């Protein structure tokens, strides 16, 4: 039986015993098929990635690393983890890889533990300007256990100004600089970050979670030659299972990272997820993935241009990657309103702060839109013009039920024409 068929058979037999649970899984599957996914941090994995996660590997305890485990019977999962590590090293051109981190935040916990002592001074991108919770939010482990300071984008350009970041680093003398974002649509100059870190005697940690697939596909410069450590998630543009991963070039960092992941922050690795990471990494090494990454970026550019042409303001004036921040205040809406209006027509996205936002995060003035998932299901630039038109129609006519009904019908037709898994 092939892996996908085996997984399907497993689902069927389980369905009979736990109907409410499997009904919810089926409903989620139907939702994903019917709606167009614009959440910039989501994607649709291949069936083979899903099949790998539904295997008996979930039964195995494998604390430690290949060849040095604390449990017997690890000979086969050792092979799985070695395949995943080798592919990660090849894909990101790095000497070392750790594929055990359960999530991006846990990868960042490990990287911080490996690179600097508790309470060390760290300079990272402000969450309000597109950073991430694990880059110093006061309630996150990072903000609790380290002394975080933040840099942000400039008021006018809404972009990072590397001269300003350098000035801040020179004044602050942090032990660690973090680069990487969850809502920044421009190329990040990792070479400049590397120079600044060296100048001030800091380590450089890059969290490439959002752009990992673009780096893999050659659409964003790689941070690996410039950073001490690079963390990422595997489920965003990289299109793998939900999880984290770390790469680096320095042998001493690699040793410290391995011990910071296990036993530092985690116990047993999720071997079924590591198998799925290996599948996704093979897919990303295939030349077709570079075409995918190119299409993601091209789609984002056209979507941003279309929305701007219809009176919405794109933060920083456009995008170089897979996402854009759309300021919806020209339509007299909050981000929360826009998220709800779009959800009602089966376009899923999230409200998001824009730089120097006047609204609180629970309302926000913008929405974040991404093209990774809709590109996976086959949408191309001509569809982005249509999609941008629908978004603008809905946001410009928030109380017109006939506009919403028309757009919802058209979204459904397009989604049916580009199925994800059938
Ligand atoms: N929550 C993720 C995002 O949506 O960008 C970041 O981890």
């Amino acid at each position: 039986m092939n892996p996908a068929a085996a997984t399907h058979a497993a689902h069927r037999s389980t369905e009979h015993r736990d109907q409410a649970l499997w009904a919810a899984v089926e409903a989620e599957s139907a939702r994903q098929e019917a709606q167009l996914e614009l959440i910039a941090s989501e994607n649709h994995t291949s069936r083979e990635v899903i099949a790998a996660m539904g295997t008996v590997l979930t039964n195995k305890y494998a604390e430690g690393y290949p060849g040095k485990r604390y449990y017997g019977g690890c000979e086969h999962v050792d092979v799985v983890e070695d395949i995943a590590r080798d592919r990660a090293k090849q894909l990101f051109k790095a000497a070392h890889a750790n594929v055990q981190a359960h999530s991006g935040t846990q990868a960042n916990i490990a990287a911080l533990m490996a690179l600097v002592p508790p309470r060390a001074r760290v300079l990272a991108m402000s969450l309000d300007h597109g950073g991430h919770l694990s880059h110093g939010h006061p309630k996150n482990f990072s903000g609790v256990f380290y002394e975080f300071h933040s840099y942000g984008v400039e008021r006018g350009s809404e972009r990072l100004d590397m001269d300003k970041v350098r000035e801040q680093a020179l004044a602050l003398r942090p032990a660690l600089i973090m680069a990487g974002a969850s809502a920044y649509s421009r190329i990040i100059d990792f070479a400049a970050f590397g120079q600044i870190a060296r100048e001030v005697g800091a380590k450089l940690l890059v969290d490439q979670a959002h752009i990992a697939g673009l780096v893999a596909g050659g659409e964003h410069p790689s941070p690996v030659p410039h950073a001490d450590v690079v963390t990422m998630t595997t489920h965003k543009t990289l299109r793998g299972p939900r999880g984290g991963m770390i790469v680096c070039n320095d042998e001493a960092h690699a040793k410290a990272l391995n011990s910071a992941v296990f036993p530092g922050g985690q116990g047993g690795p999720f071997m079924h997820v590591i198998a799925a990471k290996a599948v996704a990494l093979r897919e990303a090494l295939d030349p077709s993935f570079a075409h995918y990454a190119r299409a993601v970026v091209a789609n984002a550019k056209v979507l941003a241009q279309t929305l701007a042409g219809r009176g919405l303001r794109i933060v920083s004036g456009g995008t170089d990657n897979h996402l854009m921040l759309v300021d919806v205040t020209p339509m007299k809406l909050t981000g929360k309103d826009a998220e709800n209006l779009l959800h009602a027509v089966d376009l899923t996205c999230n409200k998001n702060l824009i730089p120097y936002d006047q609204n609180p995060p629970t309302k926000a003035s913008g929405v974040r839109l991404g093209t990774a998932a809709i590109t996976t299901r086959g949408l191309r630039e001509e569809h982005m013009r249509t999609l941008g038109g629908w978004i603008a129609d809905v946001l410009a006519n928030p109380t017109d039920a006939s506009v919403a009904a028309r757009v919802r019908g058209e979204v459904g037709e397009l989604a049916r024409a580009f199925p994800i898994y059938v």
Side-chain angles (χ1 to χ4, degrees):
M1 205 182 280
N2 70 41
T7 305
H8 186 59
H11 280 189
R12 270 208 316 272
S13 62
T14 315
E15 257 169 11
H16 296 143
R17 289 187 212 125
D18 202 340
Q19 290 184 6
L21 186 282
W22 287 103
V25 174
E26 286 300 322
E28 171 58 13
S29 171
R31 185 195 69 78
Q32 290 184 19
E33 291 288 349
Q35 300 185 347
L36 295 182
E37 186 54 71
L38 298 172
I39 293 178
S41 46
E42 295 189 15
N43 212 327
H44 305 297
T45 68
S46 69
R47 281 184 180 281
E48 196 175 351
V49 165
I50 292 174
M53 279 185 286
T55 61
V56 295
L57 270 62
T58 193
N59 297 336
K60 189 72 200 94
Y61 249 121
E63 284 178 4
Y65 290 94
K68 287 187 209 146
R69 304 282 193 185
Y70 289 84
Y71 290 78
C74 287
E75 57 272 29
H76 304 300
V77 293
D78 276 4
V79 174
V80 168
E81 187 163 344
D82 275 333
I83 290 173
R85 292 199 298 193
D86 287 345
R87 289 177 182 169
K89 289 188 267 183
Q90 189 187 343
L91 185 64
F92 292 109
K93 300 181 179 57
H96 305 279
N98 184 304
V99 294
Q100 291 194 2
H102 299 328
S103 71
T105 293
Q106 286 189 266
N108 285 337
I109 291 174
L112 279 158
M113 282 176 72
L115 290 174
V116 286
R119 291 181 289 282
R121 186 173 288 177
V122 184
L123 179 62
M125 188 159 177
S126 157
L127 181 60
D128 295 353
H129 289 196
H132 185 254
L133 282 176
S134 62
H135 302 184
H137 186 284
K139 291 198 172 163
N140 180 263
F141 86 95
S142 49
V144 172
F145 296 116
Y146 298 88
E147 181 195 316
F148 265 83
H149 298 257
S150 59
Y151 57 85
V153 299
E154 296 304 296
R155 254 184 203 280
S157 65
E158 297 173 309
R159 299 182 192 214
L160 291 173
D161 176 335
M162 294 312 295
D163 291 333
K164 295 273 173 63
V165 175
R166 177 173 172 269
E167 277 168 28
Q168 237 182 310
L170 282 167
L172 199 66
R173 295 277 164 183
L176 177 72
I177 297 177
M178 277 183 89
S182 63
Y184 184 67
S185 65
R186 295 303 185 173
I187 297 287
I188 300 177
D189 188 346
F190 296 127
F193 269 108
Q195 273 169 11
I196 294 168
R198 284 190 296 278
E199 186 179 354
V200 303
K203 304 252 173 47
L204 177 63
L205 167 58
V206 172
D207 178 350
Q208 65 166 11
H210 263 266
I211 55 168
L214 305 184
V215 171
E219 290 297 310
H220 192 294
S222 172
V224 174
H226 311 289
D228 289 277
V229 170
V230 176
T231 57
M232 69 199 89
T233 45
T234 45
H235 49 274
K236 298 186 174 89
T237 50
L238 194 53
R239 209 165 59 183
R242 193 156 292 281
M245 204 157 71
I246 311 172
V247 294
C248 70
N249 277 321
D250 183 273
E251 174 87 32
H253 287 338
K255 282 200 174 126
L257 282 165
N258 280 351
S259 129
V261 171
F262 169 81
Q266 297 182 180
F270 298 166
M271 293 313 308
H272 56 309
V273 178
I274 291 173
K277 288 173 184 170
V279 173
L281 288 163
R282 182 186 52 71
E283 292 172 356
L285 282 161
D286 189 274
S288 62
F289 196 83
H291 295 292
Y292 164 68
R294 199 168 311 138
V296 168
V297 174
N299 278 351
K301 281 197 197 313
V302 175
L303 183 57
Q305 281 158 7
T306 308
L307 294 171
R310 291 286 306 271
L312 286 149
R313 194 182 76 82
I314 307 300
V315 168
S316 85
T319 178
D320 302 323
N321 60 23
H322 62 300
L323 66 79
M324 67 211 69
L325 273 181
V326 186
D327 178 354
V328 295
T329 55
M331 302 292 182
K332 310 250 178 302
L333 297 170
T334 65
K336 187 179 179 194
D337 298 330
E339 177 189 311
N340 290 336
L341 287 162
L342 294 175
H343 187 251
V345 298
D346 287 342
L347 298 173
T348 318
C349 69
N350 64 281
K351 61 182 165 298
N352 213 103
L353 290 176
I354 60 173
Y356 305 99
D357 207 320
Q358 299 302 306
N359 278 314
T362 45
K363 281 192 183 152
S365 297
V367 286
R368 185 185 63 164
L369 304 180
T371 53
I374 51 176
T375 305
T376 292
R377 73 191 291 168
L379 301 193
R380 293 295 176 261
E381 291 168 49
E382 63 271 25
H383 307 113
M384 295 305 110
R385 291 186 191 96
T386 311
L387 175 61
W390 289 335
I391 293 169
D393 287 348
V394 169
L395 299 186
N397 300 282
T399 55
D400 191 333
S402 67
V403 171
R406 175 193 41 93
V407 170
R408 187 162 190 261
E410 290 173 346
V411 168
E413 269 175 44
L414 187 62
R416 280 190 294 280
F418 289 88
I420 306 165
Y421 291 116
V422 290

